[in-house]
Amino acid sequence: MSAVGAVSGVPRGGSVEDAFAEVAKAFEANFASGAEVGAAVCVYHRGRPVVNLWGGTASEDADDLWRPGTVSMLASPTKALVTVSALLLVERGLLELDTPVAEYWPEFAAGGKEHITLRMVLSHRSGVVCLDHAPITNEDMRAHTPIAEALAAARTEWEPDTAHGYHAITFGYLVSELVRRRTGLTVGRFFAREIAGPLGLDSYIGVPDPDAVHVATMFQSKAEDVMSGGDPGDAVPMLVELGKPESLTCRATISSMSLDPGFLDLTVEDPSYGGLSSARSLARLMALLIGEADGPRLIGPDLTAELSRVHASGPCRITMMNTAWSLGFMRGDSPVFPVSAGLDTAFGFDGANGTFTFADPVDGLSFAYVQNAGSPGLGKLDDRARGLVEAVYRSVGALR
């Protein structure tokens, strides 16, 4: 492994194996272009960490340097942590993919939802995508129960299992209530006790003690600006729909939340968007879905195969773009998970704030990129992440 130091005046640290030097170059290029404030990238190959780089600052304070264990807001890739929790319960026999959710959670059967399964939820085919009848408040997030009650009362927006649409807000809370029904723990507490704690991961869905964790300050991205009431613009169809209060896109996102402006309480569980992780912990977590990585794999080969199998593809009713899903993870091909970047055999998650993670069982890869500069756009894989991903696959290609 080669050590990495400050380049062009920007402090950096970490190490990279010579065979993956392309990734270090791409990481440095992101800083050189001025696109980064602080960031980290980690890559596992065949169960070993081959890239572990960090650099820049965690806040506007020039002395607040990014550290190996600095955690950053994940946004949508929070759902990866939630999915892993659900799959671990499936592996243990406490949940079944094709058992109706209502068998674990009887109240959920209301409104014609009695046949919806965990598989439909994980593949974004359940149709339970809106909470605009009872938008989530700060108090609801702290209590959890009101959100579960709102989900039980919700109606489907299409016939379950006949189409797919990104469960942007509802996904984490649907799974969290299922986890609670089977274990007595919300998904954040389950993840901490059964996964992050035993593995020593700097990954959280709700941080017990924020003072004990080095948290990067996330600067406002295009997605956060829109969700806070900013002008969505009209660059892509999804943004047009976000500007229409009556649209399903708006109802499933902006209108399903009613949070106080500037609300940020790291101790509160937001299992759809509010997770935090360091790059090294997220990459290792993804590695444990496809093999061993300083610890035994979390799920068996049969479930890993389900993560590689496409369960839903085509037009997404929420994002207004073609997308593909396995069980809880994005698959290629879509603008946010493009095959053209090398991701044809991978599964993972893109964040609207620019964060990105994936695992590729064919090439034995796992990858995590976290940062705090935010993303200036929506609707495609962030250029910074794409450059890193392409560098990883070039490196692997050279090893073949």
Side-chain angles (χ1 to χ4, degrees):
M1 299 283 279
S2 300
V4 177
V7 179
S8 302
V10 178
R12 290 182 180 81
S15 58
V16 56
E17 289 195 353
D18 291 344
F20 288 83
E22 286 271 351
V23 183
K25 291 178 182 177
F27 189 64
E28 292 165 4
N30 286 342
F31 280 95
S33 70
E36 298 286 25
V37 177
V41 61
C42 184
V43 180
Y44 274 70
H45 184 231
R46 308 297 183 198
R48 297 186 307 106
V50 294
V51 177
N52 186 26
L53 301 171
W54 60 89
T57 60
S59 68
E60 292 179 321
D61 182 352
D63 294 325
D64 186 18
L65 300 182
W66 202 283
R67 307 170 193 169
T70 297
V71 301
S72 182
M73 193 67 70
L74 295 178
S76 292
T78 300
K79 298 178 179 72
L81 313 187
V82 170
T83 295
V84 174
S85 300
L87 293 176
L88 185 59
L89 288 179
V90 172
E91 187 71 24
R92 293 176 177 177
L94 291 174
L95 287 174
E96 294 183 0
L97 291 171
D98 297 310
T99 294
V101 169
E103 290 199 17
Y104 308 113
W105 178 6
E107 299 90 336
F108 186 74
K113 302 194 297 298
E114 64 273 15
H115 300 303
I116 291 174
T117 64
L118 175 59
R119 188 186 299 274
M120 294 178 201
V121 172
L122 293 179
S123 58
H124 297 261
R125 295 177 64 86
S126 81
V128 184
V129 294
C130 294
L131 286 175
D132 55 329
H133 61 286
I136 296 172
T137 67
N138 302 45
E139 292 71 24
D140 293 341
M141 291 175 69
R142 293 188 177 95
H144 176 81
T145 303
I147 303 174
E149 292 172 347
L151 288 167
R155 62 182 177 86
T156 59
E157 299 298 331
W158 60 82
E159 182 67 25
D161 213 26
T162 63
H164 78 279
Y166 182 41
H167 292 32
I169 305 300
T170 59
F171 183 95
Y173 295 100
L174 284 166
V175 175
S176 186
E177 181 61 11
L178 267 175
V179 171
R180 192 182 71 85
R181 294 281 171 148
R182 300 304 287 154
T183 69
L185 301 170
T186 56
V187 72
R189 293 178 181 176
F190 177 83
F191 179 82
R193 179 179 296 183
E194 300 294 329
I195 300 173
L199 293 172
L201 301 179
D202 300 311
S203 302
Y204 308 89
I205 309 171
V207 182
D209 181 6
D211 292 334
V213 180
H214 188 228
V215 181
T217 300
M218 178 61 71
F219 297 94
Q220 188 106 324
S221 66
K222 176 66 173 179
E224 281 77 28
D225 179 58
V226 170
M227 297 299 280
S228 299
D231 180 12
D234 58 1
V236 294
M238 178 177 64
L239 294 177
V240 175
E241 294 301 299
L242 283 171
K244 301 176 182 178
E246 73 282 2
S247 73
L248 182 57
T249 303
C250 185
R251 291 178 50 232
T253 54
I254 296 172
S255 298
S256 288
M257 297 186 296
S258 183
L259 302 180
D260 295 339
F263 171 71
L264 181 63
D265 183 345
L266 298 179
T267 67
V268 172
E269 288 187 31
D270 176 358
S272 288
Y273 282 103
L276 299 102
S277 184
S278 65
R280 66 183 183 185
S281 289
L282 184 56
R284 183 171 169 231
L285 178 68
M286 296 296 287
L288 289 168
L289 295 176
I290 61 174
E292 296 184 354
D294 300 323
R297 64 188 297 162
L298 288 169
I299 59 174
D302 289 345
L303 265 185
T304 298
E306 291 288 328
L307 298 183
S308 298
R309 184 169 72 85
V310 174
H311 284 62
S313 64
C316 172
R317 295 199 173 189
I318 306 302
T319 66
M320 310 301 291
M321 66 178 75
N322 285 334
T323 60
W325 292 93
S326 64
L327 287 182
F329 288 101
M330 293 177 175
R331 284 294 321 271
D333 191 20
S334 76
V336 294
F337 207 84
V339 166
S340 59
L343 297 163
D344 52 315
T345 55
F347 58 85
F349 231 108
D350 171 68
N353 66 349
T355 294
F356 192 75
T357 189
F358 74 84
D360 186 333
V362 174
D363 284 308
L365 285 170
S366 70
F367 169 98
Y369 161 69
V370 303
Q371 45 73 51
N372 65 344
S375 180
L378 275 172
K380 72 180 185 71
L381 178 60
D382 187 281
D383 290 340
R384 296 164 299 170
R386 182 172 187 129
L388 292 166
V389 171
E390 290 175 344
V392 169
Y393 278 106
R394 284 197 302 271
S395 301
V396 171
L399 291 173
R400 293 192 183 111

